[in-house]
Amino acid sequence: MNIAQIEENLQQLVKDFSADEFIFDLLRAYGFKQSTITLIKKGSRNLSKKDGQIVLKNKLFFQQANGEDLHTTIDALRKDKATFRHDPRFIIVTDYKTLLAIDTKSQDPLDIDVSALPRHYDFFLPWAGMEKAQAKSENPADVKAAERMAKLYDEILKDNPFSTPEELHSLNIFLSRLLFCFFAEDTDIFPKGSFTGLIGSYTQNEGSDLGYLLDRLFKILNTKERTDEPEYLKAFSYVNGGLFGETYTAPKFSRRSRRMMIECGELDWKEINPDIFGSMIQAVVHADQRGGMGMHYTSVPNIMKVIEPLFLNELHEEFEKNEDNKAKLQQLLERLEHLRIFDPACGSGNFLIIAYKEIRKLEMQIFKRISELSKEPTLAFSRISLSQFYGIELDDFAHEVAILSLWLAEHQMNVLFKETFGSAKPALPLHEGGHIVCDNATRISWEGVCPKDKGAEIYILGNPPYLGAKVQSREQKEDVETVFAGYKEHKTFDYITCWFLKAAEYINEAQAKFAFVSTNSITQGEQIVFWRHIERFNLEIFFAHQVFKWTNNAKKNAGVMCVVVGLRNRNNEPKKLFSNGLCKIVPNINYYLIAADCRIIARRPKPISDIPEMLFGSIPYDGGHLIFEKAEKESLLCNYPMAEKYFRRFIGSNDFINGHERWCLWIEDHQAAEARNIPCIADRLEKVSAFRRASVTPSTQEAAECPHRFKQDTYKETKQEILIVPRVSSERREYLPIAFLPASTIASEAQIVYNAAPFVFAIISSKIHLSWVRVLTGRLKTDIRYSSALCYNAFPIPRLTTSQQDVLANHVYSVLEEREKHSEKTIAQLYDPDKMPNGLREAHRNLDLAVERCYRSKPFTSDEERLEYLFKLYEEMNSQKGTGNE
């Protein structure tokens, strides 16, 4: 059962509504078998004997309402222990007009008209074996604070044109001190409102003396023994912790920046997550520092995508399982005490902070439950220490901020702990917090930072830097060489693979797991061979979030196509695959993050299926001198009409998609001397020679001797049309835009197939092929890059009969006929998913059905099904035909 089927079933339920059959139709909609429904009706599966009530073990408590108020009824059921005797996942009450329901696991409520059920299909998905992933929302206070701090920063820069690294570092330190003071005055570290009040009361409106006041205050905060402090600064206690240790002169302020600072202070900073420090680093630093070092700030919802399936959900499940067993709860407290959370690319500490707070919250829940189970009062004392949290960070400022942020997180949780249990640790002075090391994580021993002591339960997590091989600095390339010393095939690896390999080495045969956020590059395209190095450690992917695009609360945040991948030592516990907010239990997760076996599909020089060879188009390497715009060609022919024979239509991917007409000189060797008699052509050929001679590549220099030829010529003389496949295509398109072109066309910057039968067009333009391409190929930003070696040569196609090929050909002709009806439109316009003509869409839909019937008679209902089938077919064909891999 998949989501599309469930939505369709619910729409049918509403359309053919029957009160007598409602609950049974609802169960059918989510995949309950008819035989089970029959047993429920007969009463053998229904654990209730009351009229209008159905109870299914672990599934359902259903109550039909007969005139009484629905909300009163469901509230009474929620409070009645008898309701939970058989652990129903859902409680449902309805009068067949309105439906009320409660998810007993998540405590999510549902209150809708029955007619609205299709729009809320996700609520009952657990019946179909799919958990709805709960992503924690961004805190609006964090967003507002980041925005105000960014505006303050921009305003400060207007009066202080800092440019050197030292000046910018000084400004960053200043801002972190401001953040601490704002936080401190709202969390009882300083007296309430004392910092903002100090600025408002003891500085002039135009801001000229604000810098002097702040310099004096920051010195006081770093002074333990005081003798001559003014009365108005006595409210500020000694802080320590290194934050105010070094002397940095405050920037100059204006009337506007002073007012903006006071406005920042007026926010309620006790609602701020300490991870705002991470957001602040990206939100307010100079534009040339944003996204620097490949680091992307990770928001709280995305952090939860890592820590929940890595360890947090399992801890909560253990708590829920043993909530009535005091001894087991005490054991769980001891387990929490032995956790170690390690982020080897910790930045400003976002992952460590959120993990710390979530573990402290769980600890408080356990203490509360133990207190409820105890006959006598119990003394609660937190066992969770910052010393259980470890990190490595290369940037010294981010390293300092991580230490400070962890301390602020500890203070927040201690305040909450005190409110709940009556006591907590004192706030000041600051003490050392967390084992955060300032160093290069690729060059040092991770075990030296976070020892694998006996009894320790270790979880490595984080968001390491993403940098492709082409944009790595010399130092970063050396880091890759160091980490992969002794390994082959690593020259093109993304920088983040260093963290994956070191984490794999660390957790091998240890009581440890790891999970990282990564760009999707490591789960597709040529980067996939990286996983061969992980295989040697006998690990498995035990959870993953398939590709998603995120933004965060940092100013001008970068949208990145990401995945989350969690690995552990092999065992038989369930594996979880997350996609579009839903969680599914699967038998295996492969390196493409598909529920299939772990085969790595490598580049193939020839097709695995019985289809013609695909080539890359011809490349002129001419400095643009062999290429003519339409007007340029027509101008030349006006003066030299005899030059017509030297021109061929020239088309690249962009030309094809956007309908751009260009031409190229295509001069055979025996025509070269004659062509040079035309001055314009001779001039262009001389420029081609000069361009090629200037190259440092010997083969290009040699090509200067024959400037009339394309440097890379893959053109074949043929009477049959050629098939063009754009090298890059928008991710938004539902189909790959391809076409047949006249045989004389010179294609460049595109993939081409000569002598392609119509069925080849059908396969390449099908939805099943696109699902394969999306997973296997690399991306240019978020667009699809079509690789012949992976997308085409490795694509498994069953052997087609002549009859099947004829059927596909007829559908291809229908697609081409629909295109002709809109000949005034470009391919980009025709395949815009928001504007695609209905006739063309329907022709493609029918083509898809015909292609998929060549694979199996039962229709596919999702890309996931298609890919699982394709991976299995690839394995079968590969074993029969030989690897064909590089």
Side-chain angles (χ1 to χ4, degrees), residues 718-790:
T718 177
K719 295 181 179 180
Q720 189 173 333
E721 292 181 313
I722 63 174
L723 184 62
I724 182 171
V725 181
R727 188 182 184 190
V728 178
S729 182
S730 169
E731 65 164 358
R732 295 182 62 245
R733 295 192 182 107
E734 298 172 13
Y735 298 95
L736 286 175
I738 64 175
F740 286 115
L741 300 177
S744 61
T745 305
I746 306 301
S748 181
E749 290 297 316
Q751 309 287 359
I752 50 176
V753 182
Y754 287 96
N755 303 314
F759 84 85
V760 179
F761 182 113
I763 295 294
I764 296 176
S765 64
S766 67
K767 185 173 290 185
I768 193 170
H769 184 64
L770 183 58
S771 68
W772 175 268
V773 171
R774 288 187 189 279
V775 170
L776 262 72
T777 191
R779 298 288 179 104
L780 183 61
K781 294 183 179 178
T782 60
D783 290 341
I784 295 169
R785 286 190 301 185
Y786 195 94
S787 160
S788 61
L790 290 169

Side-chain angles (χ1 to χ4, degrees), residues 523-539:
T523 62
Q524 63 184 22
E526 297 180 4
Q527 291 280 323
I528 204 76
V529 297
F530 148 75
W531 290 98
R532 289 176 178 161
H533 302 316
I534 301 296
E535 286 181 333
R536 68 180 65 189
F537 297 105
N538 198 33
L539 306 180

Side-chain angles (χ1 to χ4, degrees), residues 21 159 217 350 437 558 598 614 648:
E21 287 293 311
D159 302 317
L217 172 64
N350 306 101
V437 175
C598 283
M614 178 176 279
R648 295 281 188 95

Side-chain angles (χ1 to χ4, degrees), residues 10-121:
L10 291 174
Q11 289 166 357
Q12 195 65 39
L13 180 156
V14 171
K15 181 180 178 182
D16 302 330
F17 181 79
S18 165
D20 292 338
E21 287 293 311
F22 170 73
I23 188 60
F24 306 116
D25 287 341
L26 184 62
L27 294 172
R28 288 189 193 96
Y30 286 89
F32 280 67
K33 295 180 179 178
Q34 182 56 45
S35 57
T36 302
I37 301 293
T38 302
L39 293 174
I40 295 171
K41 288 183 174 181
K42 290 180 177 179
S44 59
R45 285 289 182 89
N46 185 2
L47 299 175
S48 174
K49 304 303 178 184
K50 296 181 180 179
D51 290 340
Q53 195 174 88
I54 296 176
V55 178
L56 305 179
K57 186 175 179 61
N58 299 325
K59 302 290 185 183
L60 171 68
F61 189 107
F62 172 80
Q63 177 68 60
Q64 173 184 297
N66 297 310
E68 62 269 24
D69 181 76
L70 295 182
H71 294 88
T72 302
T73 302
I74 202 165
D75 284 343
L77 290 173
R78 193 207 303 248
K79 296 173 183 177
D80 189 349
K81 290 185 178 180
T83 305
F84 300 92
R85 184 176 299 133
H86 299 293
D87 297 320
R89 177 61 188 266
F90 296 100
I91 303 171
I92 299 177
V93 175
T94 185
D95 59 3
Y96 303 112
K97 295 180 181 178
T98 301
L99 181 142
L100 303 185
I102 296 172
D103 183 336
T104 61
K105 181 176 180 180
S106 67
Q107 294 303 309
D108 289 338
L110 185 66
D111 184 347
I112 59 170
D113 291 340
V114 170
S115 61
L117 264 171
R119 296 199 302 272
H120 298 271
Y121 70 88

